[in-house]
Amino acid sequence: MSRGRQRKPAPTRHLTSGSISRRTVLGVGAAGAVGLTLGACSGDDEAFGSSVSEASPTDASAPQKDEDLPPVPDGLPGELFTIGVASGDPLPDSVMLWTRLVADPLDPTGGLPDAPVPVAWEVATDEEFADIVASGWEPAEPRFAHSVHADATGLEPDTWYHYRFSVGDQRSEAARTRTMPADDATPAQLRLAVASCQEFNAGSYAAYGAMAADELDLVVFLGDYIYEVGGGRMEPKVPQRITQTLADYRVQYAAYKRNPLLQKVHRQVPWVLTWDDHEVGNNYAGVIPQEPESPDGYQQRRAAAYQAYWEHMPLRTGPPQTDGALKIYRSIRVGTLAEFFVLDGRQYRSDQVCGDRLAVPASECTERLDEAGTMLGADQERWLAEGLAANDTTWTVIAQQTVMFPLVINDLVLNLDQWDGYVAARERLYDAIIDADRDNVVVLSGDIHAAGATDLFAERDGERLPVAHELVTTSISSLSTIGELGPAAVSLVEQVAADAVYVNAEDHGYGRVTITPESWTTEFVTVADVETDDAPASVDATVELASGSKRLVRK
Ligand code: FE
Ligand code: CA
């Protein structure tokens, strides 16, 4: 493929719709980028080119036909689809399909031989796969942990599909996915779940059990898909260690992805994911670790973590570049209804100020006001400002990691890892929203294992301007950090979040969102018990934002 392309889709081979050449397929993908715009090229063309020729009996640029499907290597284990399938990053005409072949999740190789395995995929309009509209195959390569990223293109907008993978006569479970409406379509509604923070050690995935019963179009995941800490009560257990190497991270993802409730939600709808810190290590910033743990090696550790992340997610980008960078910030458009700006608040941020301590007196930490402080990095900041200015959808969604609302009480800044530690960067973002003259800006946040809903204000010329509305989703399972500190801490957060219409610092769950042209409704779903898989879930609070309104309202 040509160099200097804006984005690099995964190395997909197609065999339907006649003989589509690889070149043609990439052309279609580029046209599809109207809906989902990646910041820039990620991935190493050369690396893929060389491996593809090894992995495949055919030239990478030649049309792929059924008869081109190479034979399955000898000695494959009996069960290959143990960590499930997924789809993600939907466009009006395509969806990314993902799987990884794993027989033994505790083995970094997945228990697979050191050889590429051809994995076929098919997309149908019906559950029985009688009407197959797209299909192809990918070489699952050992150097990418036998993961598969297939770009299913040529699909109809705003349409549900069924997909599945196969290796020889082994077949994955069938799954469902959907495309987004055409860019100029006017959808009546979009239903999504917002989730984050699923430390496997800390609890069950009952929240996913509840989510699986929802009728959703999309899951938006805001980070902490894994935690770097091993051990605990997961089945199969993850080794007791801190993830450092590519092998460690692969085992971590495989262990997490064995969970049947998590797999179930992945089988039902496309996901749009971003990461937070724990996909690498707690509170890292750029290439700076929280602890002075072999700082020389952190770049390598981060590169390993990013590669493993890419290997396990249905991302429309990657693999990571040779320096380990992986550009994941992007936008996803849902007709004229909404555009999701999905941010990366970890890879490019400046180091946390004032030692990244908790509850620091504001008067002792003026560094947090430094202009040089950045959460997104200059390129992403510019991309976001330009995107906000150009955006013409009813709802503008900023899907990101950490809490934007100021959590400062009695001069104490509670958490410098949040936007409170990057005040100038927050002001620049508010400026971008004000300059874009947008109503209906919704910020989605995770990270603090607590839920909340609040309006966001910018102080300008002595005036308090409402600029956006923040919905913080609680953790799926990770410890309620604030709740664990006791009722005093909970009430402290309730006080400090004076503009909030809802705070819940104790429960686990997710946000269930219904977006229409008239309103944005968030149901904060909580589970009754985070230690039981089938714990019942209920709606703890419903918060609504009418289109054009400056205020969230609790129903
Ligand atoms: Fe977390
Ligand atoms: Ca986090």
Side-chain angles (χ1 to χ4, degrees), residues 266-288:
H266 273 299
R267 280 201 307 275
Q268 289 185 350
V269 278
W271 286 41
V272 173
L273 299 115
T274 186
W275 56 35
D276 193 24
D277 52 340
H278 288 287
E279 283 87 351
V280 181
N282 189 47
N283 280 20
Y284 84 95
V287 287
I288 303 164

mmCIF file of all heavy atoms in Angstrom, residues 266-288:
data_model
loop_
_atom_site.group_PDB
_atom_site.id
_atom_site.type_symbol
_atom_site.label_atom_id
_atom_site.label_comp_id
_atom_site.label_asym_id
_atom_site.label_seq_id
_atom_site.Cartn_x
_atom_site.Cartn_y
_atom_site.Cartn_z
ATOM 1 N N HIS A 266 -19.789 -8.074 24.146
ATOM 2 C CA HIS A 266 -19.018 -7.879 22.903
ATOM 3 C C HIS A 266 -19.716 -8.531 21.707
ATOM 4 O O HIS A 266 -19.586 -8.052 20.586
ATOM 5 C CB HIS A 266 -17.609 -8.454 23.052
ATOM 6 C CG HIS A 266 -16.613 -7.494 23.641
ATOM 7 N ND1 HIS A 266 -16.282 -6.296 23.042
ATOM 8 C CD2 HIS A 266 -15.865 -7.552 24.779
ATOM 9 C CE1 HIS A 266 -15.371 -5.669 23.779
ATOM 10 N NE2 HIS A 266 -15.113 -6.404 24.845
ATOM 11 N N ARG A 267 -20.414 -9.629 21.959
ATOM 12 C CA ARG A 267 -21.102 -10.315 20.846
ATOM 13 C C ARG A 267 -22.362 -9.588 20.384
ATOM 14 O O ARG A 267 -22.897 -9.888 19.331
ATOM 15 C CB ARG A 267 -21.501 -11.741 21.258
ATOM 16 C CG ARG A 267 -20.404 -12.766 21.194
ATOM 17 C CD ARG A 267 -20.974 -14.185 21.099
ATOM 18 N NE ARG A 267 -21.946 -14.501 22.143
ATOM 19 C CZ ARG A 267 -21.631 -14.949 23.365
ATOM 20 N NH1 ARG A 267 -20.372 -15.133 23.700
ATOM 21 N NH2 ARG A 267 -22.575 -15.215 24.247
ATOM 22 N N GLN A 268 -22.835 -8.642 21.186
ATOM 23 C CA GLN A 268 -24.141 -8.039 20.882
ATOM 24 C C GLN A 268 -24.095 -6.730 20.127
ATOM 25 O O GLN A 268 -24.998 -6.430 19.357
ATOM 26 C CB GLN A 268 -24.928 -7.839 22.185
ATOM 27 C CG GLN A 268 -25.393 -9.164 22.740
ATOM 28 C CD GLN A 268 -26.261 -8.989 23.954
ATOM 29 O OE1 GLN A 268 -26.367 -7.891 24.492
ATOM 30 N NE2 GLN A 268 -26.885 -10.059 24.381
ATOM 31 N N VAL A 269 -23.059 -5.938 20.387
ATOM 32 C CA VAL A 269 -22.990 -4.597 19.761
ATOM 33 C C VAL A 269 -21.537 -4.225 19.507
ATOM 34 O O VAL A 269 -20.637 -4.721 20.172
ATOM 35 C CB VAL A 269 -23.587 -3.482 20.658
ATOM 36 C CG1 VAL A 269 -25.071 -3.417 20.555
ATOM 37 C CG2 VAL A 269 -23.113 -3.612 22.090
ATOM 38 N N PRO A 270 -21.326 -3.314 18.558
ATOM 39 C CA PRO A 270 -19.969 -2.787 18.391
ATOM 40 C C PRO A 270 -19.564 -1.937 19.588
ATOM 41 O O PRO A 270 -20.411 -1.275 20.194
ATOM 42 C CB PRO A 270 -20.068 -1.944 17.112
ATOM 43 C CG PRO A 270 -21.510 -1.621 16.949
ATOM 44 C CD PRO A 270 -22.285 -2.731 17.598
ATOM 45 N N TRP A 271 -18.284 -1.979 19.908
ATOM 46 C CA TRP A 271 -17.735 -1.158 20.982
ATOM 47 C C TRP A 271 -16.823 -0.088 20.389
ATOM 48 O O TRP A 271 -16.140 -0.322 19.387
ATOM 49 C CB TRP A 271 -16.888 -2.003 21.947
ATOM 50 C CG TRP A 271 -17.652 -2.904 22.870
ATOM 51 C CD1 TRP A 271 -18.751 -3.663 22.549
ATOM 52 C CD2 TRP A 271 -17.353 -3.179 24.242
ATOM 53 N NE1 TRP A 271 -19.156 -4.388 23.656
ATOM 54 C CE2 TRP A 271 -18.308 -4.113 24.700
ATOM 55 C CE3 TRP A 271 -16.377 -2.731 25.120
ATOM 56 C CZ2 TRP A 271 -18.307 -4.595 26.013
ATOM 57 C CZ3 TRP A 271 -16.378 -3.223 26.422
ATOM 58 C CH2 TRP A 271 -17.338 -4.133 26.870
ATOM 59 N N VAL A 272 -16.820 1.048 21.078
ATOM 60 C CA VAL A 272 -15.867 2.106 20.774
ATOM 61 C C VAL A 272 -15.073 2.313 22.059
ATOM 62 O O VAL A 272 -15.639 2.675 23.088
ATOM 63 C CB VAL A 272 -16.584 3.396 20.354
ATOM 64 C CG1 VAL A 272 -15.585 4.533 20.199
ATOM 65 C CG2 VAL A 272 -17.352 3.173 19.046
ATOM 66 N N LEU A 273 -13.778 2.036 21.989
ATOM 67 C CA LEU A 273 -12.979 2.005 23.215
ATOM 68 C C LEU A 273 -11.862 3.030 23.207
ATOM 69 O O LEU A 273 -11.276 3.324 22.171
ATOM 70 C CB LEU A 273 -12.312 0.632 23.377
ATOM 71 C CG LEU A 273 -13.228 -0.585 23.491
ATOM 72 C CD1 LEU A 273 -13.033 -1.488 22.296
ATOM 73 C CD2 LEU A 273 -12.979 -1.341 24.779
ATOM 74 N N THR A 274 -11.584 3.540 24.396
ATOM 75 C CA THR A 274 -10.317 4.215 24.601
ATOM 76 C C THR A 274 -9.712 3.649 25.873
ATOM 77 O O THR A 274 -10.354 2.896 26.598
ATOM 78 C CB THR A 274 -10.459 5.747 24.674
ATOM 79 O OG1 THR A 274 -9.143 6.324 24.737
ATOM 80 C CG2 THR A 274 -11.280 6.203 25.863
ATOM 81 N N TRP A 275 -8.455 3.960 26.104
ATOM 82 C CA TRP A 275 -7.777 3.436 27.289
ATOM 83 C C TRP A 275 -7.592 4.508 28.323
ATOM 84 O O TRP A 275 -7.701 5.703 28.055
ATOM 85 C CB TRP A 275 -6.435 2.834 26.901
ATOM 86 C CG TRP A 275 -5.483 3.751 26.162
ATOM 87 C CD1 TRP A 275 -5.312 5.103 26.327
ATOM 88 C CD2 TRP A 275 -4.576 3.370 25.126
ATOM 89 N NE1 TRP A 275 -4.353 5.574 25.469
ATOM 90 C CE2 TRP A 275 -3.874 4.545 24.724
ATOM 91 C CE3 TRP A 275 -4.256 2.162 24.510
ATOM 92 C CZ2 TRP A 275 -2.898 4.536 23.727
ATOM 93 C CZ3 TRP A 275 -3.295 2.153 23.532
ATOM 94 C CH2 TRP A 275 -2.623 3.336 23.141
ATOM 95 N N ASP A 276 -7.311 4.085 29.582
ATOM 96 C CA ASP A 276 -6.853 5.028 30.598
ATOM 97 C C ASP A 276 -5.477 4.554 31.066
ATOM 98 O O ASP A 276 -4.718 4.039 30.247
ATOM 99 C CB ASP A 276 -7.881 5.152 31.730
ATOM 100 C CG ASP A 276 -7.578 6.350 32.621
ATOM 101 O OD1 ASP A 276 -6.930 7.292 32.149
ATOM 102 O OD2 ASP A 276 -7.963 6.338 33.810
ATOM 103 N N ASP A 277 -5.183 4.676 32.344
ATOM 104 C CA ASP A 277 -3.825 4.358 32.794
ATOM 105 C C ASP A 277 -3.548 2.870 32.973
ATOM 106 O O ASP A 277 -2.487 2.374 32.621
ATOM 107 C CB ASP A 277 -3.500 5.116 34.092
ATOM 108 C CG ASP A 277 -4.543 4.946 35.185
ATOM 109 O OD1 ASP A 277 -5.694 4.570 34.862
ATOM 110 O OD2 ASP A 277 -4.231 5.201 36.360
ATOM 111 N N HIS A 278 -4.531 2.127 33.514
ATOM 112 C CA HIS A 278 -4.213 0.765 33.934
ATOM 113 C C HIS A 278 -3.961 -0.213 32.782
ATOM 114 O O HIS A 278 -3.483 -1.317 33.013
ATOM 115 C CB HIS A 278 -5.297 0.228 34.868
ATOM 116 C CG HIS A 278 -5.243 0.871 36.219
ATOM 117 N ND1 HIS A 278 -4.264 0.581 37.144
ATOM 118 C CD2 HIS A 278 -6.012 1.830 36.783
ATOM 119 C CE1 HIS A 278 -4.444 1.312 38.223
ATOM 120 N NE2 HIS A 278 -5.499 2.090 38.033
ATOM 121 N N GLU A 279 -4.281 0.184 31.559
ATOM 122 C CA GLU A 279 -3.881 -0.641 30.434
ATOM 123 C C GLU A 279 -2.360 -0.694 30.310
ATOM 124 O O GLU A 279 -1.812 -1.536 29.611
ATOM 125 C CB GLU A 279 -4.496 -0.127 29.126
ATOM 126 C CG GLU A 279 -5.968 -0.478 28.947
ATOM 127 C CD GLU A 279 -6.925 0.520 29.581
ATOM 128 O OE1 GLU A 279 -6.449 1.413 30.326
ATOM 129 O OE2 GLU A 279 -8.146 0.426 29.321
ATOM 130 N N VAL A 280 -1.678 0.258 31.006
ATOM 131 C CA VAL A 280 -0.211 0.237 31.067
ATOM 132 C C VAL A 280 0.221 0.101 32.528
ATOM 133 O O VAL A 280 0.787 -0.910 32.931
ATOM 134 C CB VAL A 280 0.408 1.503 30.446
ATOM 135 C CG1 VAL A 280 1.927 1.443 30.514
ATOM 136 C CG2 VAL A 280 -0.046 1.665 28.996
ATOM 137 N N GLY A 281 -0.040 1.140 33.332
ATOM 138 C CA GLY A 281 0.327 1.137 34.748
ATOM 139 C C GLY A 281 -0.306 2.346 35.415
ATOM 140 O O GLY A 281 -0.547 3.363 34.764
ATOM 141 N N ASN A 282 -0.532 2.270 36.724
ATOM 142 C CA ASN A 282 -1.278 3.305 37.426
ATOM 143 C C ASN A 282 -0.691 4.703 37.217
ATOM 144 O O ASN A 282 0.506 4.921 37.394
ATOM 145 C CB ASN A 282 -1.314 2.986 38.934
ATOM 146 C CG ASN A 282 -2.264 3.910 39.679
ATOM 147 O OD1 ASN A 282 -3.384 4.130 39.254
ATOM 148 N ND2 ASN A 282 -1.796 4.475 40.780
ATOM 149 N N ASN A 283 -1.574 5.631 36.841
ATOM 150 C CA ASN A 283 -1.252 7.071 36.751
ATOM 151 C C ASN A 283 0.006 7.395 35.942
ATOM 152 O O ASN A 283 0.698 8.353 36.248
ATOM 153 C CB ASN A 283 -1.113 7.665 38.160
ATOM 154 C CG ASN A 283 -2.472 7.957 38.766
ATOM 155 O OD1 ASN A 283 -3.483 7.406 38.320
ATOM 156 N ND2 ASN A 283 -2.509 8.799 39.777
ATOM 157 N N TYR A 284 0.276 6.606 34.908
ATOM 158 C CA TYR A 284 1.408 6.999 34.079
ATOM 159 C C TYR A 284 1.005 8.215 33.240
ATOM 160 O O TYR A 284 -0.177 8.491 33.029
ATOM 161 C CB TYR A 284 1.878 5.828 33.201
ATOM 162 C CG TYR A 284 1.132 5.637 31.893
ATOM 163 C CD1 TYR A 284 1.615 6.190 30.704
ATOM 164 C CD2 TYR A 284 -0.052 4.907 31.834
ATOM 165 C CE1 TYR A 284 0.938 6.016 29.502
ATOM 166 C CE2 TYR A 284 -0.732 4.731 30.645
ATOM 167 C CZ TYR A 284 -0.241 5.287 29.487
ATOM 168 O OH TYR A 284 -0.920 5.126 28.311
ATOM 169 N N ALA A 285 2.016 8.945 32.787
ATOM 170 C CA ALA A 285 1.780 10.139 31.958
ATOM 171 C C ALA A 285 2.800 10.132 30.838
ATOM 172 O O ALA A 285 4.000 10.196 31.108
ATOM 173 C CB ALA A 285 1.924 11.401 32.797
ATOM 174 N N GLY A 286 2.355 10.047 29.602
ATOM 175 C CA GLY A 286 3.299 9.984 28.488
ATOM 176 C C GLY A 286 4.149 8.735 28.596
ATOM 177 O O GLY A 286 3.648 7.616 28.516
ATOM 178 N N VAL A 287 5.447 8.928 28.815
ATOM 179 C CA VAL A 287 6.311 7.760 29.045
ATOM 180 C C VAL A 287 6.869 7.780 30.464
ATOM 181 O O VAL A 287 7.870 7.167 30.773
ATOM 182 C CB VAL A 287 7.485 7.688 28.033
ATOM 183 C CG1 VAL A 287 6.974 7.287 26.673
ATOM 184 C CG2 VAL A 287 8.249 8.994 27.974
ATOM 185 N N ILE A 288 6.160 8.508 31.343
ATOM 186 C CA ILE A 288 6.646 8.635 32.719
ATOM 187 C C ILE A 288 5.792 7.775 33.641
ATOM 188 O O ILE A 288 4.586 7.960 33.744
ATOM 189 C CB ILE A 288 6.593 10.112 33.175
ATOM 190 C CG1 ILE A 288 7.415 10.977 32.206
ATOM 191 C CG2 ILE A 288 7.100 10.263 34.602
ATOM 192 C CD1 ILE A 288 7.111 12.456 32.323
#
